[in-house]
Amino acid sequence: KAGVTQTPRYLIKTRGQQVTLSCSPISGHRSVSWYQQTPGQGLQFLFEYFSETQRNKGNFPGRFSGRQFSNSRSEMNVSTLELGDSALYLCASRVGSGGHNRDTQYFGPGTRLTVL
Amino acid sequence: KNQVEQSPQSLIILEGKNCTLQCNYTVSPFSNLRWYKQDTGRGPVSLTIMTFSENTKSNGRYTATLDADTKQSSLHITASQLSDSASYICVVSSTSGGSYIPTFGRGTSLIVHP
């Protein structure tokens, strides 16, 4: 079974631009979560989508948005990029969703975003 | 404010030795606690997940414990191997009003020397 895939793997943008990242979950997984990882803040939760609906959201500004399609693939968009948005963006998928859910979460390799 | 503190920040051990990593949390209301292993340049890999009622969970040479009263968890690695060199991350999820937020620790960087 193929794992979680993320595209592109590396991306360089300049301040003020916008960017869209893509995530394809494991087949049969309906939940996709997005995370930001930086050396300064570590891993932080962005949001989770399940069946095309945003179920949970972390404490990030509205410049960070996402969506999920009917095939469970998900995209994350960051508008008006800032230098501080440089990070590794990880997505993860699992069968179910929610805080009490015990399904194993599988992470993709991440997209390395550099903002100049 | 929900927080997860991990110790030590880094650890160096010799191959074949055991080690224990610590995770203290102030997350409420508690939902579950997960341990992940993250190799450099790769996404985290799930090791264990524990809920409030579980004290111990094993996954091969990895054994996690949870003390919900003291809000502490530990990850014990037995007979370490070179491939155990990685960052180990503790994640505690809280659930409130139908939504949940996972709070991540900063991780413990483990280096296993031959």
PDB file of all heavy atoms in Angstrom, chain A residues 35 37 39-40 42-43 45 48 56-57 94 98-103 105 107-108, chain B residues 31-32 34 36 38 43-44 46 49 51 54 57 89 95 99-102 104 106:
ATOM      1  N   TYR A  35       0.583  19.947   9.532  1.00  0.00           N
ATOM      2  CA  TYR A  35       1.415  20.424  10.612  1.00  0.00           C
ATOM      3  C   TYR A  35       2.543  21.277  10.046  1.00  0.00           C
ATOM      4  O   TYR A  35       2.992  21.070   8.932  1.00  0.00           O
ATOM      5  CB  TYR A  35       2.031  19.258  11.385  1.00  0.00           C
ATOM      6  CG  TYR A  35       1.025  18.286  11.953  1.00  0.00           C
ATOM      7  CD1 TYR A  35       0.538  17.230  11.193  1.00  0.00           C
ATOM      8  CD2 TYR A  35       0.559  18.427  13.256  1.00  0.00           C
ATOM      9  CE1 TYR A  35      -0.380  16.337  11.704  1.00  0.00           C
ATOM     10  CE2 TYR A  35      -0.354  17.534  13.786  1.00  0.00           C
ATOM     11  CZ  TYR A  35      -0.822  16.493  13.006  1.00  0.00           C
ATOM     12  OH  TYR A  35      -1.738  15.612  13.518  1.00  0.00           O
ATOM     13  N   GLN A  37       6.488  22.419  11.003  1.00  0.00           N
ATOM     14  CA  GLN A  37       7.622  22.098  11.860  1.00  0.00           C
ATOM     15  C   GLN A  37       8.764  23.069  11.606  1.00  0.00           C
ATOM     16  O   GLN A  37       9.241  23.183  10.471  1.00  0.00           O
ATOM     17  CB  GLN A  37       8.101  20.659  11.638  1.00  0.00           C
ATOM     18  CG  GLN A  37       9.179  20.216  12.628  1.00  0.00           C
ATOM     19  CD  GLN A  37       9.504  18.741  12.509  1.00  0.00           C
ATOM     20  OE1 GLN A  37       9.445  18.154  11.442  1.00  0.00           O
ATOM     21  NE2 GLN A  37       9.831  18.102  13.634  1.00  0.00           N
ATOM     22  N   PRO A  39      12.540  24.772  13.529  1.00  0.00           N
ATOM     23  CA  PRO A  39      13.507  24.557  14.617  1.00  0.00           C
ATOM     24  C   PRO A  39      13.128  25.317  15.886  1.00  0.00           C
ATOM     25  O   PRO A  39      13.372  24.854  16.983  1.00  0.00           O
ATOM     26  CB  PRO A  39      14.811  25.091  14.022  1.00  0.00           C
ATOM     27  CG  PRO A  39      14.632  24.967  12.552  1.00  0.00           C
ATOM     28  CD  PRO A  39      13.179  25.256  12.316  1.00  0.00           C
ATOM     29  N   GLY A  40      12.506  26.482  15.724  1.00  0.00           N
ATOM     30  CA  GLY A  40      12.186  27.310  16.877  1.00  0.00           C
ATOM     31  C   GLY A  40      10.949  26.877  17.640  1.00  0.00           C
ATOM     32  O   GLY A  40      10.928  26.906  18.874  1.00  0.00           O
ATOM     33  N   GLY A  42       9.153  23.822  16.888  1.00  0.00           N
ATOM     34  CA  GLY A  42       8.865  22.391  16.821  1.00  0.00           C
ATOM     35  C   GLY A  42       7.653  22.133  15.939  1.00  0.00           C
ATOM     36  O   GLY A  42       7.350  22.903  15.024  1.00  0.00           O
ATOM     37  N   LEU A  43       6.943  21.063  16.224  1.00  0.00           N
ATOM     38  CA  LEU A  43       5.750  20.689  15.467  1.00  0.00           C
ATOM     39  C   LEU A  43       4.523  21.413  16.013  1.00  0.00           C
ATOM     40  O   LEU A  43       4.313  21.449  17.227  1.00  0.00           O
ATOM     41  CB  LEU A  43       5.507  19.191  15.555  1.00  0.00           C
ATOM     42  CG  LEU A  43       6.127  18.326  14.456  1.00  0.00           C
ATOM     43  CD1 LEU A  43       6.192  16.874  14.897  1.00  0.00           C
ATOM     44  CD2 LEU A  43       5.308  18.436  13.178  1.00  0.00           C
ATOM     45  N   PHE A  45       0.200  22.002  15.166  1.00  0.00           N
ATOM     46  CA  PHE A  45      -0.970  21.540  14.435  1.00  0.00           C
ATOM     47  C   PHE A  45      -1.623  22.703  13.704  1.00  0.00           C
ATOM     48  O   PHE A  45      -1.896  23.760  14.287  1.00  0.00           O
ATOM     49  CB  PHE A  45      -1.946  20.918  15.444  1.00  0.00           C
ATOM     50  CG  PHE A  45      -3.296  20.562  14.890  1.00  0.00           C
ATOM     51  CD1 PHE A  45      -3.444  19.513  14.007  1.00  0.00           C
ATOM     52  CD2 PHE A  45      -4.419  21.269  15.286  1.00  0.00           C
ATOM     53  CE1 PHE A  45      -4.695  19.177  13.515  1.00  0.00           C
ATOM     54  CE2 PHE A  45      -5.670  20.939  14.805  1.00  0.00           C
ATOM     55  CZ  PHE A  45      -5.817  19.895  13.914  1.00  0.00           C
ATOM     56  N   GLU A  48      -7.238  19.864  10.596  1.00  0.00           N
ATOM     57  CA  GLU A  48      -7.576  18.506  10.192  1.00  0.00           C
ATOM     58  C   GLU A  48      -8.846  18.541   9.354  1.00  0.00           C
ATOM     59  O   GLU A  48      -9.798  19.255   9.680  1.00  0.00           O
ATOM     60  CB  GLU A  48      -7.795  17.589  11.397  1.00  0.00           C
ATOM     61  CG  GLU A  48      -8.173  16.158  10.986  1.00  0.00           C
ATOM     62  CD  GLU A  48      -8.543  15.267  12.158  1.00  0.00           C
ATOM     63  OE1 GLU A  48      -9.155  15.764  13.112  1.00  0.00           O
ATOM     64  OE2 GLU A  48      -8.223  14.060  12.103  1.00  0.00           O
ATOM     65  N   ASN A  56     -11.014  20.308  12.800  1.00  0.00           N
ATOM     66  CA  ASN A  56     -10.254  20.927  13.887  1.00  0.00           C
ATOM     67  C   ASN A  56      -9.262  21.917  13.312  1.00  0.00           C
ATOM     68  O   ASN A  56      -8.795  21.754  12.187  1.00  0.00           O
ATOM     69  CB  ASN A  56      -9.493  19.872  14.697  1.00  0.00           C
ATOM     70  CG  ASN A  56     -10.422  18.888  15.370  1.00  0.00           C
ATOM     71  OD1 ASN A  56     -11.073  19.207  16.359  1.00  0.00           O
ATOM     72  ND2 ASN A  56     -10.501  17.696  14.824  1.00  0.00           N
ATOM     73  N   LYS A  57      -8.946  22.937  14.111  1.00  0.00           N
ATOM     74  CA  LYS A  57      -8.056  23.980  13.631  1.00  0.00           C
ATOM     75  C   LYS A  57      -7.142  24.410  14.749  1.00  0.00           C
ATOM     76  O   LYS A  57      -7.589  24.601  15.891  1.00  0.00           O
ATOM     77  CB  LYS A  57      -8.871  25.182  13.123  1.00  0.00           C
ATOM     78  CG  LYS A  57      -8.051  26.238  12.426  1.00  0.00           C
ATOM     79  CD  LYS A  57      -8.954  27.334  11.889  1.00  0.00           C
ATOM     80  CE  LYS A  57      -8.176  28.320  11.044  1.00  0.00           C
ATOM     81  NZ  LYS A  57      -7.051  28.957  11.759  1.00  0.00           N
ATOM     82  N   ARG A  94      -5.137   9.324   8.453  1.00  0.00           N
ATOM     83  CA  ARG A  94      -5.605   8.182   9.234  1.00  0.00           C
ATOM     84  C   ARG A  94      -7.026   7.870   8.808  1.00  0.00           C
ATOM     85  O   ARG A  94      -7.661   8.663   8.110  1.00  0.00           O
ATOM     86  CB  ARG A  94      -5.534   8.451  10.739  1.00  0.00           C
ATOM     87  CG  ARG A  94      -6.255   9.683  11.217  1.00  0.00           C
ATOM     88  CD  ARG A  94      -6.105   9.831  12.736  1.00  0.00           C
ATOM     89  NE  ARG A  94      -6.648  11.091  13.210  1.00  0.00           N
ATOM     90  CZ  ARG A  94      -6.817  11.407  14.490  1.00  0.00           C
ATOM     91  NH1 ARG A  94      -6.482  10.535  15.431  1.00  0.00           N
ATOM     92  NH2 ARG A  94      -7.313  12.575  14.837  1.00  0.00           N
ATOM     93  N   GLY A  98     -10.716  12.980  14.992  1.00  0.00           N
ATOM     94  CA  GLY A  98     -11.170  13.359  16.315  1.00  0.00           C
ATOM     95  C   GLY A  98     -10.161  13.057  17.407  1.00  0.00           C
ATOM     96  O   GLY A  98      -9.268  12.239  17.242  1.00  0.00           O
ATOM     97  N   GLY A  99     -10.343  13.726  18.558  1.00  0.00           N
ATOM     98  CA  GLY A  99      -9.388  13.595  19.643  1.00  0.00           C
ATOM     99  C   GLY A  99      -9.375  12.238  20.295  1.00  0.00           C
ATOM    100  O   GLY A  99      -8.357  11.788  20.788  1.00  0.00           O
ATOM    101  N   HIS A 100     -10.517  11.557  20.326  1.00  0.00           N
ATOM    102  CA  HIS A 100     -10.571  10.246  20.965  1.00  0.00           C
ATOM    103  C   HIS A 100     -10.222   9.119  20.007  1.00  0.00           C
ATOM    104  O   HIS A 100     -10.136   7.968  20.404  1.00  0.00           O
ATOM    105  CB  HIS A 100     -11.971  10.002  21.543  1.00  0.00           C
ATOM    106  CG  HIS A 100     -12.310  10.937  22.657  1.00  0.00           C
ATOM    107  ND1 HIS A 100     -11.588  10.986  23.827  1.00  0.00           N
ATOM    108  CD2 HIS A 100     -13.280  11.884  22.778  1.00  0.00           C
ATOM    109  CE1 HIS A 100     -12.118  11.904  24.626  1.00  0.00           C
ATOM    110  NE2 HIS A 100     -13.125  12.469  24.015  1.00  0.00           N
ATOM    111  N   ASN A 101     -10.012   9.476  18.770  1.00  0.00           N
ATOM    112  CA  ASN A 101      -9.699   8.458  17.783  1.00  0.00           C
ATOM    113  C   ASN A 101      -8.316   7.871  18.025  1.00  0.00           C
ATOM    114  O   ASN A 101      -7.360   8.600  18.269  1.00  0.00           O
ATOM    115  CB  ASN A 101      -9.772   9.080  16.385  1.00  0.00           C
ATOM    116  CG  ASN A 101      -9.518   8.063  15.307  1.00  0.00           C
ATOM    117  OD1 ASN A 101      -8.393   7.709  15.018  1.00  0.00           O
ATOM    118  ND2 ASN A 101     -10.588   7.581  14.697  1.00  0.00           N
ATOM    119  N   ARG A 102      -8.200   6.548  17.946  1.00  0.00           N
ATOM    120  CA  ARG A 102      -6.941   5.884  18.228  1.00  0.00           C
ATOM    121  C   ARG A 102      -6.270   5.325  16.980  1.00  0.00           C
ATOM    122  O   ARG A 102      -5.315   4.568  17.072  1.00  0.00           O
ATOM    123  CB  ARG A 102      -7.168   4.768  19.240  1.00  0.00           C
ATOM    124  CG  ARG A 102      -7.689   5.242  20.571  1.00  0.00           C
ATOM    125  CD  ARG A 102      -7.761   4.115  21.558  1.00  0.00           C
ATOM    126  NE  ARG A 102      -6.499   3.399  21.622  1.00  0.00           N
ATOM    127  CZ  ARG A 102      -6.156   2.604  22.620  1.00  0.00           C
ATOM    128  NH1 ARG A 102      -6.959   2.455  23.630  1.00  0.00           N
ATOM    129  NH2 ARG A 102      -5.022   1.957  22.602  1.00  0.00           N
ATOM    130  N   ASP A 103      -6.783   5.671  15.831  1.00  0.00           N
ATOM    131  CA  ASP A 103      -6.167   5.186  14.599  1.00  0.00           C
ATOM    132  C   ASP A 103      -4.733   5.694  14.484  1.00  0.00           C
ATOM    133  O   ASP A 103      -4.436   6.836  14.843  1.00  0.00           O
ATOM    134  CB  ASP A 103      -6.954   5.680  13.377  1.00  0.00           C
ATOM    135  CG  ASP A 103      -8.336   5.070  13.314  1.00  0.00           C
ATOM    136  OD1 ASP A 103      -8.536   3.981  13.894  1.00  0.00           O
ATOM    137  OD2 ASP A 103      -9.211   5.692  12.673  1.00  0.00           O
ATOM    138  N   GLN A 105      -1.700   7.358  12.929  1.00  0.00           N
ATOM    139  CA  GLN A 105      -1.558   8.451  11.983  1.00  0.00           C
ATOM    140  C   GLN A 105      -0.247   8.266  11.219  1.00  0.00           C
ATOM    141  O   GLN A 105       0.803   8.048  11.828  1.00  0.00           O
ATOM    142  CB  GLN A 105      -1.554   9.786  12.729  1.00  0.00           C
ATOM    143  CG  GLN A 105      -1.718  10.991  11.838  1.00  0.00           C
ATOM    144  CD  GLN A 105      -1.989  12.250  12.647  1.00  0.00           C
ATOM    145  OE1 GLN A 105      -1.225  12.603  13.526  1.00  0.00           O
ATOM    146  NE2 GLN A 105      -3.070  12.936  12.339  1.00  0.00           N
ATOM    147  N   PHE A 107       2.478   9.824   8.576  1.00  0.00           N
ATOM    148  CA  PHE A 107       2.965  11.099   8.051  1.00  0.00           C
ATOM    149  C   PHE A 107       3.607  10.937   6.678  1.00  0.00           C
ATOM    150  O   PHE A 107       4.211   9.902   6.374  1.00  0.00           O
ATOM    151  CB  PHE A 107       4.005  11.708   8.997  1.00  0.00           C
ATOM    152  CG  PHE A 107       3.418  12.377  10.203  1.00  0.00           C
ATOM    153  CD1 PHE A 107       3.007  11.633  11.302  1.00  0.00           C
ATOM    154  CD2 PHE A 107       3.278  13.761  10.243  1.00  0.00           C
ATOM    155  CE1 PHE A 107       2.464  12.252  12.417  1.00  0.00           C
ATOM    156  CE2 PHE A 107       2.747  14.391  11.359  1.00  0.00           C
ATOM    157  CZ  PHE A 107       2.341  13.632  12.446  1.00  0.00           C
ATOM    158  N   GLY A 108       3.503  11.993   5.888  1.00  0.00           N
ATOM    159  CA  GLY A 108       4.227  12.062   4.637  1.00  0.00           C
ATOM    160  C   GLY A 108       5.632  12.593   4.888  1.00  0.00           C
ATOM    161  O   GLY A 108       5.985  12.921   6.027  1.00  0.00           O
TER     162      GLY A 108
ATOM    163  N   SER B  31      -6.950  13.534  26.368  1.00  0.00           N
ATOM    164  CA  SER B  31      -7.592  12.574  25.478  1.00  0.00           C
ATOM    165  C   SER B  31      -6.685  11.364  25.250  1.00  0.00           C
ATOM    166  O   SER B  31      -7.094  10.233  25.514  1.00  0.00           O
ATOM    167  CB  SER B  31      -7.948  13.233  24.149  1.00  0.00           C
ATOM    168  OG  SER B  31      -8.521  12.298  23.269  1.00  0.00           O
ATOM    169  N   ASN B  32      -5.499  11.599  24.732  1.00  0.00           N
ATOM    170  CA  ASN B  32      -4.552  10.508  24.545  1.00  0.00           C
ATOM    171  C   ASN B  32      -3.138  11.050  24.421  1.00  0.00           C
ATOM    172  O   ASN B  32      -2.930  12.253  24.248  1.00  0.00           O
ATOM    173  CB  ASN B  32      -4.909   9.648  23.326  1.00  0.00           C
ATOM    174  CG  ASN B  32      -4.941  10.447  22.040  1.00  0.00           C
ATOM    175  OD1 ASN B  32      -3.920  10.965  21.590  1.00  0.00           O
ATOM    176  ND2 ASN B  32      -6.117  10.538  21.424  1.00  0.00           N
ATOM    177  N   ARG B  34       0.638  10.162  22.526  1.00  0.00           N
ATOM    178  CA  ARG B  34       1.324   9.391  21.482  1.00  0.00           C
ATOM    179  C   ARG B  34       2.813   9.685  21.510  1.00  0.00           C
ATOM    180  O   ARG B  34       3.229  10.805  21.813  1.00  0.00           O
ATOM    181  CB  ARG B  34       0.787   9.751  20.089  1.00  0.00           C
ATOM    182  CG  ARG B  34      -0.696   9.504  19.889  1.00  0.00           C
ATOM    183  CD  ARG B  34      -1.195  10.010  18.542  1.00  0.00           C
ATOM    184  NE  ARG B  34      -2.642   9.927  18.409  1.00  0.00           N
ATOM    185  CZ  ARG B  34      -3.265   9.133  17.554  1.00  0.00           C
ATOM    186  NH1 ARG B  34      -2.586   8.343  16.741  1.00  0.00           N
ATOM    187  NH2 ARG B  34      -4.594   9.128  17.504  1.00  0.00           N
ATOM    188  N   TYR B  36       6.158   9.448  18.951  1.00  0.00           N
ATOM    189  CA  TYR B  36       6.591   9.315  17.567  1.00  0.00           C
ATOM    190  C   TYR B  36       8.111   9.284  17.501  1.00  0.00           C
ATOM    191  O   TYR B  36       8.800   9.879  18.332  1.00  0.00           O
ATOM    192  CB  TYR B  36       6.116  10.503  16.707  1.00  0.00           C
ATOM    193  CG  TYR B  36       4.638  10.515  16.407  1.00  0.00           C
ATOM    194  CD1 TYR B  36       3.748  11.189  17.228  1.00  0.00           C
ATOM    195  CD2 TYR B  36       4.138   9.866  15.283  1.00  0.00           C
ATOM    196  CE1 TYR B  36       2.387  11.216  16.937  1.00  0.00           C
ATOM    197  CE2 TYR B  36       2.778   9.889  14.984  1.00  0.00           C
ATOM    198  CZ  TYR B  36       1.918  10.562  15.815  1.00  0.00           C
ATOM    199  OH  TYR B  36       0.569  10.590  15.531  1.00  0.00           O
ATOM    200  N   GLN B  38      11.111  10.346  14.784  1.00  0.00           N
ATOM    201  CA  GLN B  38      11.326  11.080  13.541  1.00  0.00           C
ATOM    202  C   GLN B  38      12.802  11.037  13.154  1.00  0.00           C
ATOM    203  O   GLN B  38      13.646  11.611  13.832  1.00  0.00           O
ATOM    204  CB  GLN B  38      10.868  12.537  13.660  1.00  0.00           C
ATOM    205  CG  GLN B  38      10.971  13.299  12.344  1.00  0.00           C
ATOM    206  CD  GLN B  38      10.402  14.701  12.415  1.00  0.00           C
ATOM    207  OE1 GLN B  38      10.291  15.296  13.486  1.00  0.00           O
ATOM    208  NE2 GLN B  38      10.005  15.247  11.273  1.00  0.00           N
ATOM    209  N   GLY B  43       9.228  12.247   7.834  1.00  0.00           N
ATOM    210  CA  GLY B  43       8.084  12.496   8.687  1.00  0.00           C
ATOM    211  C   GLY B  43       8.099  11.582   9.900  1.00  0.00           C
ATOM    212  O   GLY B  43       8.711  10.520   9.890  1.00  0.00           O
ATOM    213  N   PRO B  44       7.403  11.980  10.978  1.00  0.00           N
ATOM    214  CA  PRO B  44       7.346  11.140  12.185  1.00  0.00           C
ATOM    215  C   PRO B  44       6.649   9.805  11.910  1.00  0.00           C
ATOM    216  O   PRO B  44       5.783   9.708  11.044  1.00  0.00           O
ATOM    217  CB  PRO B  44       6.519  11.988  13.151  1.00  0.00           C
ATOM    218  CG  PRO B  44       6.636  13.391  12.657  1.00  0.00           C
ATOM    219  CD  PRO B  44       6.726  13.269  11.162  1.00  0.00           C
ATOM    220  N   SER B  46       4.630   6.702  13.987  1.00  0.00           N
ATOM    221  CA  SER B  46       3.952   6.398  15.241  1.00  0.00           C
ATOM    222  C   SER B  46       4.575   5.195  15.938  1.00  0.00           C
ATOM    223  O   SER B  46       4.839   4.169  15.320  1.00  0.00           O
ATOM    224  CB  SER B  46       2.469   6.119  14.969  1.00  0.00           C
ATOM    225  OG  SER B  46       1.798   5.822  16.159  1.00  0.00           O
ATOM    226  N   ILE B  49       0.306   4.685  21.277  1.00  0.00           N
ATOM    227  CA  ILE B  49      -0.752   5.604  21.673  1.00  0.00           C
ATOM    228  C   ILE B  49      -1.399   5.049  22.933  1.00  0.00           C
ATOM    229  O   ILE B  49      -1.638   3.839  23.033  1.00  0.00           O
ATOM    230  CB  ILE B  49      -1.810   5.804  20.573  1.00  0.00           C
ATOM    231  CG1 ILE B  49      -2.941   6.680  21.099  1.00  0.00           C
ATOM    232  CG2 ILE B  49      -2.344   4.475  20.058  1.00  0.00           C
ATOM    233  CD1 ILE B  49      -3.946   7.103  20.053  1.00  0.00           C
ATOM    234  N   THR B  51      -4.404   5.871  26.090  1.00  0.00           N
ATOM    235  CA  THR B  51      -5.492   6.677  26.619  1.00  0.00           C
ATOM    236  C   THR B  51      -5.367   6.733  28.136  1.00  0.00           C
ATOM    237  O   THR B  51      -4.468   6.143  28.727  1.00  0.00           O
ATOM    238  CB  THR B  51      -6.853   6.089  26.218  1.00  0.00           C
ATOM    239  OG1 THR B  51      -6.928   4.740  26.699  1.00  0.00           O
ATOM    240  CG2 THR B  51      -7.009   6.100  24.716  1.00  0.00           C
ATOM    241  N   GLU B  54      -4.809   3.476  30.237  1.00  0.00           N
ATOM    242  CA  GLU B  54      -3.705   2.578  29.926  1.00  0.00           C
ATOM    243  C   GLU B  54      -2.422   3.026  30.615  1.00  0.00           C
ATOM    244  O   GLU B  54      -2.061   4.209  30.561  1.00  0.00           O
ATOM    245  CB  GLU B  54      -3.476   2.506  28.412  1.00  0.00           C
ATOM    246  CG  GLU B  54      -4.666   1.913  27.678  1.00  0.00           C
ATOM    247  CD  GLU B  54      -4.495   1.965  26.176  1.00  0.00           C
ATOM    248  OE1 GLU B  54      -4.409   3.081  25.629  1.00  0.00           O
ATOM    249  OE2 GLU B  54      -4.452   0.894  25.546  1.00  0.00           O
ATOM    250  N   LYS B  57       2.267   0.492  27.196  1.00  0.00           N
ATOM    251  CA  LYS B  57       2.041   0.053  25.808  1.00  0.00           C
ATOM    252  C   LYS B  57       3.393  -0.247  25.192  1.00  0.00           C
ATOM    253  O   LYS B  57       4.308   0.580  25.269  1.00  0.00           O
ATOM    254  CB  LYS B  57       1.308   1.151  25.026  1.00  0.00           C
ATOM    255  CG  LYS B  57       0.925   0.769  23.618  1.00  0.00           C
ATOM    256  CD  LYS B  57      -0.114  -0.335  23.579  1.00  0.00           C
ATOM    257  CE  LYS B  57      -1.456   0.104  24.053  1.00  0.00           C
ATOM    258  NZ  LYS B  57      -2.148   0.980  23.094  1.00  0.00           N
ATOM    259  N   ILE B  89       9.318  12.228  19.798  1.00  0.00           N
ATOM    260  CA  ILE B  89       8.389  13.306  20.077  1.00  0.00           C
ATOM    261  C   ILE B  89       7.167  12.780  20.819  1.00  0.00           C
ATOM    262  O   ILE B  89       6.574  11.775  20.424  1.00  0.00           O
ATOM    263  CB  ILE B  89       7.943  13.992  18.770  1.00  0.00           C
ATOM    264  CG1 ILE B  89       9.171  14.546  18.037  1.00  0.00           C
ATOM    265  CG2 ILE B  89       6.943  15.105  19.053  1.00  0.00           C
ATOM    266  CD1 ILE B  89       8.881  15.005  16.630  1.00  0.00           C
ATOM    267  N   THR B  95      -9.337  17.229  24.254  1.00  0.00           N
ATOM    268  CA  THR B  95     -10.610  17.295  23.546  1.00  0.00           C
ATOM    269  C   THR B  95     -11.571  18.172  24.321  1.00  0.00           C
ATOM    270  O   THR B  95     -11.724  17.993  25.528  1.00  0.00           O
ATOM    271  CB  THR B  95     -11.213  15.891  23.382  1.00  0.00           C
ATOM    272  OG1 THR B  95     -10.281  15.075  22.676  1.00  0.00           O
ATOM    273  CG2 THR B  95     -12.494  15.950  22.584  1.00  0.00           C
ATOM    274  N   SER B  99     -14.029  19.396  19.544  1.00  0.00           N
ATOM    275  CA  SER B  99     -12.796  19.630  18.798  1.00  0.00           C
ATOM    276  C   SER B  99     -11.618  19.135  19.631  1.00  0.00           C
ATOM    277  O   SER B  99     -11.751  18.890  20.827  1.00  0.00           O
ATOM    278  CB  SER B  99     -12.627  21.116  18.485  1.00  0.00           C
ATOM    279  OG  SER B  99     -12.454  21.850  19.679  1.00  0.00           O
ATOM    280  N   TYR B 100     -10.507  19.002  18.977  1.00  0.00           N
ATOM    281  CA  TYR B 100      -9.321  18.562  19.716  1.00  0.00           C
ATOM    282  C   TYR B 100      -8.094  19.277  19.177  1.00  0.00           C
ATOM    283  O   TYR B 100      -8.044  19.688  18.018  1.00  0.00           O
ATOM    284  CB  TYR B 100      -9.147  17.051  19.627  1.00  0.00           C
ATOM    285  CG  TYR B 100      -8.367  16.581  18.417  1.00  0.00           C
ATOM    286  CD1 TYR B 100      -7.029  16.251  18.518  1.00  0.00           C
ATOM    287  CD2 TYR B 100      -8.987  16.477  17.178  1.00  0.00           C
ATOM    288  CE1 TYR B 100      -6.317  15.831  17.408  1.00  0.00           C
ATOM    289  CE2 TYR B 100      -8.282  16.055  16.069  1.00  0.00           C
ATOM    290  CZ  TYR B 100      -6.944  15.732  16.190  1.00  0.00           C
ATOM    291  OH  TYR B 100      -6.246  15.317  15.086  1.00  0.00           O
ATOM    292  N   ILE B 101      -7.114  19.418  20.082  1.00  0.00           N
ATOM    293  CA  ILE B 101      -5.859  20.049  19.709  1.00  0.00           C
ATOM    294  C   ILE B 101      -4.720  19.179  20.209  1.00  0.00           C
ATOM    295  O   ILE B 101      -4.623  18.911  21.405  1.00  0.00           O
ATOM    296  CB  ILE B 101      -5.714  21.454  20.323  1.00  0.00           C
ATOM    297  CG1 ILE B 101      -6.788  22.384  19.772  1.00  0.00           C
ATOM    298  CG2 ILE B 101      -4.322  22.024  20.025  1.00  0.00           C
ATOM    299  CD1 ILE B 101      -6.644  22.730  18.311  1.00  0.00           C
ATOM    300  N   PRO B 102      -3.837  18.712  19.300  1.00  0.00           N
ATOM    301  CA  PRO B 102      -2.650  17.990  19.753  1.00  0.00           C
ATOM    302  C   PRO B 102      -1.556  18.984  20.105  1.00  0.00           C
ATOM    303  O   PRO B 102      -1.288  19.919  19.346  1.00  0.00           O
ATOM    304  CB  PRO B 102      -2.280  17.145  18.537  1.00  0.00           C
ATOM    305  CG  PRO B 102      -2.781  17.917  17.372  1.00  0.00           C
ATOM    306  CD  PRO B 102      -3.970  18.711  17.836  1.00  0.00           C
ATOM    307  N   PHE B 104       2.462  19.301  20.954  1.00  0.00           N
ATOM    308  CA  PHE B 104       3.693  18.556  20.748  1.00  0.00           C
ATOM    309  C   PHE B 104       4.787  18.992  21.717  1.00  0.00           C
ATOM    310  O   PHE B 104       4.937  20.181  22.010  1.00  0.00           O
ATOM    311  CB  PHE B 104       4.214  18.772  19.322  1.00  0.00           C
ATOM    312  CG  PHE B 104       3.364  18.146  18.259  1.00  0.00           C
ATOM    313  CD1 PHE B 104       2.222  18.769  17.808  1.00  0.00           C
ATOM    314  CD2 PHE B 104       3.721  16.928  17.699  1.00  0.00           C
ATOM    315  CE1 PHE B 104       1.432  18.195  16.820  1.00  0.00           C
ATOM    316  CE2 PHE B 104       2.941  16.353  16.709  1.00  0.00           C
ATOM    317  CZ  PHE B 104       1.803  16.981  16.277  1.00  0.00           C
ATOM    318  N   ARG B 106       8.983  19.253  22.327  1.00  0.00           N
ATOM    319  CA  ARG B 106      10.050  19.667  21.426  1.00  0.00           C
ATOM    320  C   ARG B 106      10.928  18.499  21.001  1.00  0.00           C
ATOM    321  O   ARG B 106      11.784  18.645  20.131  1.00  0.00           O
ATOM    322  CB  ARG B 106      10.901  20.749  22.082  1.00  0.00           C
ATOM    323  CG  ARG B 106      10.129  22.017  22.419  1.00  0.00           C
ATOM    324  CD  ARG B 106       9.541  22.644  21.165  1.00  0.00           C
ATOM    325  NE  ARG B 106      10.577  22.971  20.214  1.00  0.00           N
ATOM    326  CZ  ARG B 106      11.265  24.091  20.234  1.00  0.00           C
ATOM    327  NH1 ARG B 106      11.040  24.985  21.156  1.00  0.00           N
ATOM    328  NH2 ARG B 106      12.210  24.321  19.319  1.00  0.00           N
TER     329      ARG B 106
END
